Amino acid sequence: MSERILVPYDGSVPAKEALEYAFEMFSEATVTALYVVPIPEDYWTAFGEAGDLDLDRGRERGAEVLEGAPAIADERDRELETDVETGKPDRVIVERIEDEGFDTVVIGSHGREGVSRILLGSVAEKVVRRSPAPVVVVR
């Protein structure tokens, strides 16, 4: 059975480097790039209706971001699975690890929002803390 690697992917330089690292270090693994459309935690309480948030537009944006990821796979003669989810990014990532049994997570040290912590982005930090699988942080 092949190892399964999850790479949270937002199109940032650290995310691209994490995807490249996953292909280099896990040459036989099945790699999945995941884009999470962020939904603020208290959104539903504040507005009450899902219709107020354009989830389709967010998913389209996620698909656009992921369009660049297969090129990284193609350069290495590898295949890549991609997926778009909605929710709080760190929670969605950890749930996917738990629900789908990923063996390892390879995540960039920070994403498009920049460094919210001195050394580690807030999503990466939360994933490291909560993940049931090993996490490799690429910086």
Side-chain angles (χ1 to χ4, degrees), residues 2-81:
S2 179
E3 189 171 16
R4 298 185 67 220
I5 309 298
L6 179 65
V7 180
Y9 190 85
D10 64 1
S12 66
V13 171
K16 290 175 183 176
E17 290 172 350
L19 187 57
E20 291 169 352
Y21 182 90
F23 287 130
E24 289 172 24
M25 298 307 293
F26 302 95
S27 61
E28 299 298 317
T30 300
V31 179
T32 300
L34 173 66
Y35 180 88
V36 181
V37 179
I39 298 176
E41 187 171 313
D42 294 329
Y43 180 83
W44 306 116
T45 305
F47 297 103
E49 293 293 325
D52 293 338
L53 184 64
D54 192 347
L55 295 178
D56 290 335
R57 185 169 163 208
R59 287 182 170 279
E60 288 173 10
R61 172 69 181 128
E64 290 171 9
V65 169
L66 285 168
E67 284 177 0
I72 296 170
D74 290 345
E75 289 172 3
R76 288 155 180 79
D77 198 28
R78 298 284 302 277
E79 291 187 20
L80 176 68
E81 297 175 2

Side-chain angles (χ1 to χ4, degrees), residues 47-118:
F47 297 103
E49 293 293 325
D52 293 338
L53 184 64
D54 192 347
L55 295 178
D56 290 335
R57 185 169 163 208
R59 287 182 170 279
E60 288 173 10
R61 172 69 181 128
E64 290 171 9
V65 169
L66 285 168
E67 284 177 0
I72 296 170
D74 290 345
E75 289 172 3
R76 288 155 180 79
D77 198 28
R78 298 284 302 277
E79 291 187 20
L80 176 68
E81 297 175 2
T82 60
D83 198 9
V84 177
E85 292 269 348
T86 58
K88 194 162 189 277
D90 57 295
R91 289 186 184 166
V92 170
I93 294 164
V94 171
E95 287 172 6
R96 287 291 294 266
I97 297 163
E98 293 171 343
D99 294 346
E100 297 185 27
F102 284 95
D103 299 295
T104 305
V105 179
V106 179
I107 189 168
S109 59
H110 59 278
R112 287 195 178 274
E113 295 178 12
V115 181
S116 62
R117 307 250 182 212
I118 292 176

